[in-house]
Amino acid sequence: LANNPSARRHKFWETQPVGQFRDVADGSLPDGAIEPPTPLSEVRADPYPLPAAFEWFTCDLDDDALLADLYALLAHNYVEDDENMFRFNYSPAFLRWALRPPSFFRAWHIGVRAKESKKLVAFISGIPARIRARDDVVRMAEINFLCVHKKLRSKRLAPVLIREVTRRVHQENIWQAAYTAGVVLPTPITTCRYWHRSLNPKKLIDVGFSRLGPRMTMSRTVRLYKLPDAPLTPGFRQMELRDVAAVTRLLRSYLARYVVAPDFDELDVEHWLLPQEDVVDSYLVESPETHEITDFCSFYTLPSSVLNNATYSTLKAAYSYYNVAVKTPLQQLMNDALIVAKQKNYDVFNALDVMENEGFLKELKFGPGDGQLHYYLYNYRIRNGIKPSELGLVLL
Ligand code: NHW
């Protein structure tokens, strides 16, 4: 029973409009909203009650001091790997980027602090997004950065945070959400795997991120992962502001292939894909003859703290984001992405097996990780789920 997540009780999740494990086999349930919207006048007006020592606190990320508090909460208490060797270390600039897309809601940056000390002890966030599921473009919230201080775990604070963000999302007349988690909850629309491509194999082995392969020496390993010094595709260059319209066209027509994908407009592309140092990097191929933009690739920067290592304190990781290969073969385009990431001193390049990524992972020497990432929709059913290769959505 313990090994079978679907047999476990979920006291909170069983009360929510999400696909329930007991319904998985029931093919008669329709796709789309599980529950209709309630009239706005019936949305609860007051925040949910918190334990007496705590209060709700909306984090204004314009304020550098509050941003630093959020950064510190996450840097010390957010996601770790199963062996507690690494912890995500989202940078302050990244958090600002991730939480303030076009038309974001300040009220969806929800903190909990201790009444007396004013110390931030928990957080959850939402951002607005248009996400298409089959032919249905739905206004949703993307929920992320759910975090409860280590000292306050297992006290059922997370359900209160989730209810409160749900209430604030409902107040904007939005009734669906998308989120990912490493844990199994009722019920994933798909389950993806992370793959890792060593760029700095010696450091990755030294910190215990990877191991020397059987019958491999360090020098053979370093040689195996060696990359050219500069990108190989003619016309490969960084994306600029003037490229937003072309990149939007390329991306929109590409993402139309997937069952679940974001519905990006130019404002979204400018926000999510225009390069920002150590936050997001985007490259494209401009045809040297026609100057047409034919291909695009991008990655975001999410370092991890290395816990308990005498030599190293962080791993610099690039995460594959959105890629569109039209004229250049995808494998060649991604090889150029690896080359620029190596030039910029990243230690590892990570990618999920979403979209067409399976087509380059093995060939470009990515290895499968042990972590899984489950994708969820709130109040939206997709009968039988989808395959990772049918998913066109990457959450941060
Ligand atoms: S996933 C990253 C989540 N954060 C971390 O893993 C950081 C380290 N861990 C913690 O801070 C990306 C705590 O362990 C957390 C749980 C806070 C995770 N998603 O308070 P209790 C996201 O941010 C359920 C959803 O005692 P705790 C996405 C759990 O199943 N539910 O636990 C976030 C149980 O419910 P059950 C999760 O360890 C999406 C209950 O929480 C969860 O002290 C949020 C236990 O609560 C997770 N990752 O705190 C949903 N982890 O029914 C958005 C645990 O099983 C939904 N739980 O008894 C949509 C809302 C908007 C809708 C709008 C229409």
Side-chain angles (χ1 to χ4, degrees):
L1 202 108
N3 291 326
N4 179 0
S6 58
R8 225 181 281 144
R9 293 294 311 272
H10 290 281
K11 272 201 126 134
F12 168 66
W13 281 108
E14 281 167 13
T15 67
Q16 298 297 300
V18 293
Q20 298 295 337
F21 290 127
R22 61 177 176 275
D23 298 335
V24 166
D26 185 348
S28 71
L29 296 167
D31 277 5
I34 294 170
E35 241 174 42
T38 44
L40 280 181
S41 59
E42 283 170 31
V43 175
R44 185 189 164 106
D46 307 316
Y48 283 90
L50 281 168
F54 302 105
E55 62 190 12
W56 295 109
F57 174 66
T58 298
C59 294
D60 178 0
L61 302 178
D62 278 330
D63 183 329
D64 286 341
L66 295 181
L67 181 65
D69 288 346
L70 174 60
Y71 167 76
L73 172 74
L74 297 176
H76 295 113
N77 300 280
Y78 200 51
V79 178
E80 298 179 9
D81 66 305
D82 290 339
E83 276 118 67
N84 310 101
M85 294 171 72
F86 309 100
R87 192 188 305 123
F88 283 149
N89 185 7
Y90 288 91
S91 70
F94 189 109
L95 292 169
R96 233 178 216 151
W97 173 66
L99 293 174
R100 305 177 51 127
S103 316
F104 76 94
F105 298 100
R106 210 175 291 267
W108 294 7
H109 302 161
I110 307 173
V112 172
R113 62 182 186 183
K115 275 186 188 155
E116 211 160 290
S117 68
K118 304 293 179 210
K119 189 180 146 89
L120 186 66
V121 297
F123 186 76
I124 192 167
S125 68
I127 54 170
R130 289 179 316 282
I131 294 180
R132 184 181 49 74
R134 303 198 199 278
D135 301 327
D136 191 10
V137 178
V138 185
R139 288 174 72 218
M140 294 198 194
E142 289 175 0
I143 307 298
N144 206 349
F145 305 113
L146 166 60
C147 183
V148 168
H149 193 284
K150 289 188 174 201
K151 294 207 167 128
L152 296 172
R153 296 277 169 87
S154 305
K155 297 181 189 300
R156 310 300 298 183
L157 219 48
V160 184
L161 286 157
I162 295 168
R163 286 202 165 95
E164 181 60 15
V165 75
T166 303
R167 188 184 71 81
R168 296 188 194 192
V169 170
H170 285 168
Q171 284 181 322
E172 301 299 337
N173 200 18
I174 294 175
W175 306 90
Q176 271 74 34
Y179 49 103
T180 56
V183 293
V184 180
L185 306 165
T187 311
I189 58 161
T190 192
T191 294
C192 302
R193 182 171 295 282
Y194 267 114
W195 289 65
H196 310 282
R197 205 293 183 183
S198 300
L199 301 174
N200 187 354
K202 184 171 182 319
K203 175 170 167 186
L204 294 177
I205 290 168
D206 285 349
V207 300
F209 184 87
S210 40
R211 261 186 291 274
L212 211 51
R215 293 180 304 281
M216 284 294 277
T217 62
M218 190 63 88
S219 64
R220 279 188 68 198
T221 305
V222 169
R223 229 176 312 133
L224 175 68
Y225 291 115
K226 199 162 166 42
L227 287 160
D229 292 329
L232 306 176
T233 309
F236 188 89
R237 64 165 172 84
Q238 218 179 19
M239 177 191 175
E240 297 171 20
L241 187 57
R242 64 185 160 106
D243 302 313
V244 165
V247 168
T248 306
R249 259 181 274 125
L250 205 59
L251 202 55
R252 286 189 64 86
S253 71
Y254 179 70
L255 291 176
R257 301 190 194 176
Y258 296 98
V259 178
V260 174
D263 181 65
F264 282 147
D265 63 18
E266 290 187 10
L267 283 177
D268 298 316
V269 167
E270 181 175 336
H271 178 81
W272 292 121
L273 295 166
L274 202 60
Q276 282 189 52
E277 173 100 340
D278 289 330
V279 172
V280 60
D281 279 88
S282 298
Y283 292 85
L284 46 76
V285 181
E286 175 180 336
S287 158
E289 300 91 45
T290 64
H291 297 286
E292 202 193 337
I293 309 299
T294 56
D295 314 273
F296 174 81
C297 62
S298 57
F299 54 87
Y300 63 85
T301 300
L302 167 51
S304 278
S305 304
V306 179
L307 311 175
N308 310 317
N309 185 282
T311 320
Y312 297 106
S313 59
T314 51
L315 273 187
K316 192 174 177 192
Y319 286 73
S320 172
Y321 197 27
Y322 292 97
N323 309 305
V324 184
V326 176
K327 198 162 147 259
T328 307
L330 179 61
Q331 199 174 308
Q332 180 183 330
L333 186 71
M334 296 310 296
N335 195 50
D336 282 340
L338 294 176
I339 292 167
V340 292
K342 175 68 190 169
Q343 279 179 324
K344 292 185 162 210
N345 224 14
Y346 289 81
D347 298 312
V348 61
F349 194 104
N350 300 328
L352 290 164
D353 51 359
V354 298
M355 295 182 261
E356 299 180 278
N357 291 0
E358 291 237 272
F360 66 76
L361 293 170
K362 290 202 180 112
E363 293 74 3
L364 294 180
K365 302 175 186 166
F366 285 72
D370 37 25
Q372 288 193 324
L373 189 68
H374 309 280
Y375 275 75
Y376 301 94
L377 296 178
Y378 183 94
N379 193 21
Y380 201 95
R381 185 183 297 110
I382 295 187
R383 237 173 320 146
N384 306 323
I386 62 175
K387 295 189 282 247
S389 60
E390 294 175 316
L391 181 69
L393 176 67
V394 178
L395 299 180
L396 304 171

